[in-house]
């Protein structure tokens, strides 16, 4: 009963707008007050939550993503995506999920992906006649692709409360991430005419397209790049694509750990930014460190506060209670998986991604193990659920970011967002009921998972 009161207090404080870490600390202190237990374990739990080499990978990959955004690599990836899709109808819109995959392979951050794409791609596409409401919604929906394509910072957080391998989790998200991006491109192809008013430009006038000018506009949008420029973009993209090859090759080749891979990615981004693209200098390089530190502070205070409450739940047998509750409803594996999906889907409406990944795994792992779901598959299910949560109000962080940058209200993004949200739910069901979608590559490369 004390835990129920503590949980209710946490939820009330979250809804009132209090900072999430302090909500969990307040809930933990209420439990201590009601039970009379000692707070002696709080300090040790908080210390060991941060005293981890895997935790060190988080700031390193965050810094790498910020450096990549500033170094000019992101602009090169956008140019490359435009070349690859220039002959496809609605191809300029389809570059959004493609660039999200490219950028995710470098940074591992959905938030960084949304910020970069909204800043760099939205103005360019609006000039071509794309509706900013659609762009904001599409970019927000593509944010989860930033961490489905490894490296994946969510995977590092997940390993803090599970026994899953970071390397296995990196591999497990590749196939679902590619399918997710492919379905987004298909949706864009089907609906883009509702949100795209072609801009026709010639030597004497500019007119916003009508039905009679749509075909001409498509030619303008997908106009061939001069051959020298294509070669220049392809050449500039080589350093960008070498980065994931070095990182992932080093991890699976046994050269360095995922944490060391974060350090290597930072060093590589600095070298590329300073000496290859020459977009980085001492001033904006220092600002990258400042921005990373500011973002990191939120995570570092959330980890210990959240894990203190998670420890209280685990030591009081809440995971076993949840298992018994679910099995009392049904012992059918399909139904149990559906219940887990519904719980994660609804929780994503209200809780931050970090909270979901720190609190829910210890509670759901026993239930998942009982029905034969591995911790790696459960992790992928949670990553997809977190991704859907980032585009589902009221705690839709991606919508807030892209809406602010694109100057669009969340309300105006809902209509164009609906088909992309449906795809996210479809991917959640895929990774839930087709284990090989997430386990094929880890089993192929690493053996058992």
């Amino acid at each position: 009963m004390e835990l129920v009161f503590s949980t209710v207090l946490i939820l009330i404080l979250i809804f009132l707008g209090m900072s999430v870490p302090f909500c969990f600390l307040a809930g933990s202190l209420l439990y201590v007050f009601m039970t009379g237990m000692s707070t002696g374990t709080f300090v040790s739990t908080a210390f060991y939550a941060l005293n981890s080499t895997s935790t060190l990978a988080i700031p390193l990959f965050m810094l790498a993503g910020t450096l990549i955004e500033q170094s000019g690599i992101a602009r090169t990836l956008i140019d490359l995506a435009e070349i690859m899709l220039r002959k496809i109808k609605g191809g300029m819109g389809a570059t959004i999920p493609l660039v999200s995959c490219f950028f995710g392979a470098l940074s591992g951050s959905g938030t960084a992906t949304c910020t970069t794409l909204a800043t760099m791609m939205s103005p360019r596409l609006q000039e071509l006649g794309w509706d900013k409401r659609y762009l904001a919604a599409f970019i927000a929906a593509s944010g989860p692709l930033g961490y489905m394509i490894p490296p994946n910072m969510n995977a590092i957080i997940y390993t803090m409360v599970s026994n899953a391998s970071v390397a296995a989790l990196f591999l497990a998200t590749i196939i679902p991430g590619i399918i997710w991006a492919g379905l987004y491109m298909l949706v864009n192809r089907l609906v883009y005419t509702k949100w795209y008013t072609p801009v026709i430009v010639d030597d004497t006038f500019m007119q916003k397209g009508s039905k009679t000018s749509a075909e001409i506009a498509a030619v303008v949008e997908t106009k061939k790049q001069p051959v020298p420029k294509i070669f220049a973009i392809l050449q500039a993209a080589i350093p960008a694509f070498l980065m994931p090859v070095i990182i992932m090759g080093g991890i699976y080749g046994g050269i360095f750990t995922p944490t060391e891979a974060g350090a290597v990615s930072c060093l590589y981004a600095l070298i590329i930014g300073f000496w290859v693209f020459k977009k980085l200098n001492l001033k904006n390089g220092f600002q990258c460190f400042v921005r990373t530190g500011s973002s990191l502070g939120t995570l570092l205070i959330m980890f210990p506060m959240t894990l203190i409450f998670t420890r209280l739940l685990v030591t009081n047998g809440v995971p076993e209670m949840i298992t018994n509750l679910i099995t009392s409803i049904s012992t059918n594996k399909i139904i149990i998986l559906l219940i887990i999906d519904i719980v994660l889907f609804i929780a994503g409406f209200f809780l931050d991604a970090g909270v979901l990944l720190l609190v829910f795994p210890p509670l759901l792992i026993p239930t998942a193990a009982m029905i034969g779901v591995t911790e790696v598959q459960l992790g992928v299910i949670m990553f997809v659920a977190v991704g859907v949560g980032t585009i589902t109000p009221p705690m839709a962080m991606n919508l807030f970011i892209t809406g602010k940058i694109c100057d669009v209200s969340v309300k105006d993004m809902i209509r164009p967002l609906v088909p992309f949200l449906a795809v996210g739910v479809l991917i959640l069901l895929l990774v839930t009921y087709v284990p090989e979608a997430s386990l094929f590559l880890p089993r192929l490369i690493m053996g058992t998972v």
Side-chain angles (χ1 to χ4, degrees), residues 3 6 10 24-25 27-32 35 37-39 41-42 45 305-319 363:
L3 281 174
S6 298
I10 290 171
F24 279 89
L25 179 61
S28 301
L29 291 175
L30 177 63
Y31 178 82
V32 168
T35 60
M37 70 171 286
S38 170
T39 59
T41 59
F42 285 16
T45 300
M305 302 300 184
T306 307
L307 288 175
I308 287 171
F309 186 73
T310 302
R311 179 181 174 86
L312 293 177
L313 296 177
V314 172
T315 55
N316 281 276
V318 174
L363 304 181

Side-chain angles (χ1 to χ4, degrees), residues 22 29 63 80 90 94 136 150 170 205 219 236 257 264 279 295 297 335 346 364-365 377 384 392 399 407 428 434:
F22 296 109
L29 291 175
L63 176 60
L80 178 64
F170 280 1
F205 70 97
V219 173
T257 66
V264 171
K279 298 289 186 179
S295 302
I335 300 299
I346 294 175
L364 296 177
I365 284 173
Q377 185 187 353
V384 176
T392 309
L399 294 183
D407 191 26
L428 179 59
V434 185

Side-chain angles (χ1 to χ4, degrees), residues 113-129:
T113 300
C114 282
T115 304
T116 303
L117 267 63
T119 302
M120 295 187 174
M121 295 192 70
S122 179
R124 179 186 294 194
L125 293 177
Q126 286 184 51
E127 289 177 359
L128 292 172

Side-chain angles (χ1 to χ4, degrees), residues 213-260:
S213 63
E215 292 182 358
I216 303 174
V219 173
V220 173
E221 184 201 3
T222 59
K223 186 178 179 181
K224 290 185 178 181
Q225 298 273 8
V227 173
K229 187 175 181 180
I230 293 177
F231 285 139
I233 293 174
L234 291 174
Q235 185 178 9
I238 293 176
F241 281 104
L242 281 177
M243 185 174 178
V245 171
I246 293 172
I247 293 172
M248 304 309 293
I251 292 174
Y252 297 109
I255 300 173
F256 40 71
T257 66
T259 300
E260 293 167 342

Side-chain angles (χ1 to χ4, degrees), residues 2 23 66 102-103 122 125 128 162 176 181 185 217 343 349 353 398 407:
E2 291 85 358
C23 294
T66 307
F102 287 164
F103 198 77
S122 179
L125 293 177
L128 292 172
S162 73
M185 291 181 185
V343 169
F349 293 179
N398 286 5
D407 191 26

Side-chain angles (χ1 to χ4, degrees), residues 99-412:
V99 175
S100 295
C101 290
F102 287 164
F103 198 77
L106 302 179
S107 70
S109 170
T111 303
T113 300
C114 282
T115 304
T116 303
L117 267 63
T119 302
M120 295 187 174
M121 295 192 70
S122 179
R124 179 186 294 194
L125 293 177
Q126 286 184 51
E127 289 177 359
L128 292 172
W130 290 83
D131 192 309
K132 66 179 180 179
R133 296 171 296 175
Y134 179 76
L135 293 176
F138 198 1
I139 291 171
S142 299
L145 300 176
Y147 57 71
M148 290 300 289
I149 306 301
N152 178 355
M153 284 198 294
N154 285 343
I156 300 170
I157 296 174
Y158 180 77
T159 58
M160 296 173 62
V161 289
S162 73
N163 295 318
S165 162
V166 174
L169 289 168
F170 280 1
L171 288 172
T173 58
I174 293 176
I175 292 177
I178 292 174
I179 295 174
W180 202 342
L183 290 177
Y184 273 179
M185 291 181 185
L186 177 60
V187 169
N188 175 75
R189 173 63 183 85
L190 295 175
V191 306
Y192 85 98
T193 53
K194 299 178 183 178
W195 305 101
Y196 173 50
T197 304
V199 174
I200 311 301
V201 181
D202 64 16
D203 294 335
T204 59
F205 70 97
M206 174 185 293
Q207 67 179 35
K208 283 237 169 176
S210 62
K211 290 183 179 179
T212 58
S213 63
E215 292 182 358
I216 303 174
V219 173
V220 173
E221 184 201 3
T222 59
K223 186 178 179 181
K224 290 185 178 181
Q225 298 273 8
V227 173
K229 187 175 181 180
I230 293 177
F231 285 139
I233 293 174
L234 291 174
Q235 185 178 9
I238 293 176
F241 281 104
L242 281 177
M243 185 174 178
V245 171
I246 293 172
I247 293 172
M248 304 309 293
I251 292 174
Y252 297 109
I255 300 173
F256 40 71
T257 66
T259 300
E260 293 167 342
V264 171
S265 64
C266 289
L267 179 61
Y268 187 86
L270 283 171
I271 293 173
I272 295 299
F274 272 102
W275 289 288
V276 178
F277 291 106
K278 298 182 180 179
K279 298 289 186 179
L280 277 179
N281 52 49
L282 291 178
K283 182 179 179 180
N284 58 25
F286 178 75
Q287 288 300 316
C288 289
F289 282 85
V290 172
R291 287 167 53 193
T292 301
S294 177
S295 302
L296 183 63
T298 305
L299 286 175
L300 290 185
I301 195 172
M302 183 172 66
F303 287 167
M305 302 300 184
T306 307
L307 288 175
I308 287 171
F309 186 73
T310 302
R311 179 181 174 86
L312 293 177
L313 296 177
V314 172
T315 55
N316 281 276
V318 174
E320 291 76 13
M321 295 179 191
I322 291 176
T323 301
N324 294 334
L325 175 62
I326 293 177
T327 53
S328 68
I329 298 173
S330 174
T331 56
N332 186 296
K333 180 178 180 179
I334 295 175
I335 300 299
I336 292 175
L337 285 171
L338 181 60
I339 292 172
I340 291 175
D341 280 353
I342 292 173
V343 169
L344 293 174
F345 184 70
I346 294 175
F349 293 179
F350 308 104
L351 298 177
D352 181 79
V355 174
L356 281 173
L357 292 171
L358 291 171
V359 175
F360 278 77
L363 304 181
L364 296 177
I365 284 173
T367 304
M370 182 194 68
I371 57 176
V373 174
T374 68
E375 292 188 13
V376 171
Q377 185 187 353
L378 179 63
V380 177
I381 293 172
M382 296 200 70
F383 301 156
V384 176
V386 164
V388 174
T390 60
I391 57 174
T392 309
M395 290 292 291
M397 184 56 66
N398 286 5
L399 294 183
F400 299 150
I401 292 172
T402 58
K404 183 176 180 180
I405 295 174
C406 299
D407 191 26
V408 180
S409 68
V410 173
K411 180 183 68 175
D412 291 335

Side-chain angles (χ1 to χ4, degrees), residues 29-91:
L29 291 175
L30 177 63
Y31 178 82
V32 168
F33 175 77
M34 296 179 67
T35 60
M37 70 171 286
S38 170
T39 59
T41 59
F42 285 16
V43 176
S44 60
T45 300
F47 175 77
Y48 287 111
L50 300 176
N51 186 31
S52 167
T53 54
S54 61
T55 306
L56 181 60
I58 295 174
L60 291 173
F61 279 116
M62 288 178 66
L63 176 60
T66 307
L67 291 170
I68 289 165
E69 177 185 348
Q70 191 68 43
S71 67
I73 294 178
R75 172 59 64 188
T76 301
L77 294 177
I78 292 172
D79 293 339
L80 178 64
E82 290 177 358
I83 290 176
M84 293 174 63
L85 299 175
R86 70 189 188 279
K87 293 185 178 181
I88 298 176
K89 287 186 178 181

